[in-house]
Amino acid sequence: MEREKPSCLCGSLQCIGPGCNSFFAWRLSVGSKGSATQNSSISLHRSSWLLLAPLLTPPIPVITAMPCSLCPEGAHRFQWIRNLVPEFGISSSHVKVLSSPAEFYELLKVQIKTAKQRVVMASLYLGTGLLEQELVNCLEETLEKSLQANESPNLRVSILLDYTRGSRGRKNSRTMLIPLLQRFPEQVRVSLFHTPNLRGLLKLLIPERFNETIGLQHIKVYLFDDNVILSGANLSDLYFTNRQDRYVLLQDSPEIADFFTELVDAIGDVSLQLQQDDTVQMMEGMIHPYQGDKVRYCEIANRRVMEVIDSARTRQELLHAKTFHSSQQGSSTLPQHDSEASGGLKPEPDTWIYPLIQMKPFGIQIDEMVTETLLTEAERDARIYLTTGYFNLTQAYMDLILGTRAEYRILLASPEVNGFFGAKGVAGAIPSAYVYIEHQFYNEVCCLHQQERIQLQEYSRAGWTFHAKGLWLYLAGSSLPCLTLIGSPNFGYRSVHRDLEAQVAIVTENKALQQQLHQEQEQLYLCSGVVSSSTFEQPSRHVKLWVKLVTPLIKNFF
């Protein structure tokens, strides 16, 4: 019997047009008003009395779904995402998937050295070792060449980091970058984002390192002229040597580079600006993130970021309309291959990039909405490979994985490759806390008799740590993924509620690119073992009683 075909842009059997009952349409049309009702039964479960400060955020702008009139197949079924964010259509030949930290590091250096117009780098922090200093030296050399070549140099460097993480210790991200500011004051901008939730008595009492639990700038985007690298990796020597992450290069993609430049600029505008004497100050007329009015600050930040998203979305819609109109006219006069040969039209895109932004402190929850919809609408026999360096899924994500139809293969770090393994003090217990969370989830899977459908796998590699995150979606009956999510979110409470996050959904119908993504997934999962009940009987999986007691109270902070 032939399976009933989806009649909706989201791939479900329901329509997202007027009167639609699908999860996606409900999320879009209700927005924050509905989410309060939906989450009322689980909000108490998520919260704990140990929360150091409530995260009071402005309401989420209500977004309405566009009527559904088409029934796309394959990759095109995900075009509903453009109801929320700009859609960038590109050729798959412009996408390159990287596999190793060393390849990532060498690419960063090459791209810096060849940049002519702009270098934009957003990261949690910049490390202070020799490899990081080499990156700074590359920036200095490129800026010097630009200065010598032009009386009015074209190259602009913009760096966005987190204030608390970037200020940790006497030698830190700030001290690494100050020489660039001193030598090239007109060309270099260093912005340090400070969460508005760390303020007042809280800011005075919480010591260094622990203050980073309240909220961070966690976006990782590295762009050079029109080339963009999306990753979960920070600018630190570990991420250049033996810390496994994910990385994708989007080459010759000016519209995407423009979008992320504008996004980093918008966050930079509401951040503290590093000065040549290692002080910081806000841009003139801008509200201070922790000294000024919090609600007003968040409203301004929301408006600045949403302006970037909405203006890019409008530009892309106009571009789509113009391209469609031109292609219709061209098809009536020239065969398609003649039209392309004449140079009048670009080849039709076979890959689409959707930037997904999550900034709950500013009331922006686009990534959360899209991720929940993907998990909800995944059809029976579809396979989702989900990976995170820190297995601490939100309750909503766990409920969707446990209650939906697709098959899941979830890759997480074994305790030995957790970034906190061997850390001093309280941080050293964090790997055990993740083991406890993993064990609880595994028990839920077993209680529901879902072991065949939901499989946990632990990444293990001697001398390495694991930080890869994202997902790959294989449609039912397909041996290759047509969609991947790649960027900074970990699918945990912090990513959804506390930090600034960004990733992209890459949707492709090109088999060669699908093969690249499949090989990336396979390479990561090859270094893993399947989790079973015997896994938690190993001595290395023993969790002390105090860790079990404390984990439910502090899990929302790591």
Side-chain angles (χ1 to χ4, degrees), residues 375-378 399-408 450 453-454:
L375 299 181
T376 302
E377 298 294 344
D399 291 344
L400 288 171
I401 291 170
L402 291 168
T404 51
R405 301 157 294 181
E407 295 180 10
Y408 285 87
Q450 297 292 307
R453 189 177 65 84
I454 303 169

Side-chain angles (χ1 to χ4, degrees), residues 46 368 372 392-400 490-497 555:
R46 293 185 186 182
E368 178 188 7
E372 288 188 8
N392 188 14
L393 301 178
T394 66
Q395 190 64 43
Y397 291 163
M398 283 195 288
D399 291 344
L400 288 171
N490 278 296
F491 305 105
Y493 187 94
R494 286 199 58 131
S495 291
V496 171
H497 294 276
K555 63 183 292 187

Side-chain angles (χ1 to χ4, degrees), residues 40 166 214 253 278 293 312 335 343 399 432 447 458:
S40 60
I214 304 303
S253 302
D278 198 21
D293 181 83
D399 291 344
S432 290
C447 286
E458 286 187 354

Side-chain angles (χ1 to χ4, degrees), residues 77-89:
R77 71 178 60 194
F78 302 104
Q79 286 184 333
W80 54 263
I81 304 176
R82 71 181 181 193
N83 293 338
L84 293 169
V85 296
E87 175 188 73
F88 301 100

Side-chain angles (χ1 to χ4, degrees), residues 101-102 104-105 108 131-132 135 234-241:
F104 170 59
Y105 180 63
L108 286 176
L131 294 179
E132 297 93 318
L135 279 185
N234 291 303
L235 296 173
S236 173
D237 54 2
L238 291 175
Y239 295 90
F240 304 150
T241 52

Side-chain angles (χ1 to χ4, degrees), residues 398 402-403 442-451 453-454:
M398 283 195 288
L402 291 168
Y442 179 78
N443 286 340
E444 286 194 61
V445 171
C446 293
C447 286
L448 295 170
H449 306 290
Q450 297 292 307
Q451 299 96 312
R453 189 177 65 84
I454 303 169

Side-chain angles (χ1 to χ4, degrees), residues 413-429:
S414 66
E416 295 79 14
V417 300
N418 186 292
F420 291 97
F421 185 75
K424 297 179 181 179
V426 177

Side-chain angles (χ1 to χ4, degrees), residues 3-16 20-22 71 77 377 379 405:
R3 185 170 59 85
E4 186 179 358
K5 292 183 179 181
S7 60
C8 174
L9 287 177
C10 60
S12 75
L13 300 179
Q14 301 158 313
C15 176
I16 66 170
C20 170
N21 294 318
S22 76
C71 179
R77 71 178 60 194
E377 298 294 344
E379 59 197 331
R405 301 157 294 181

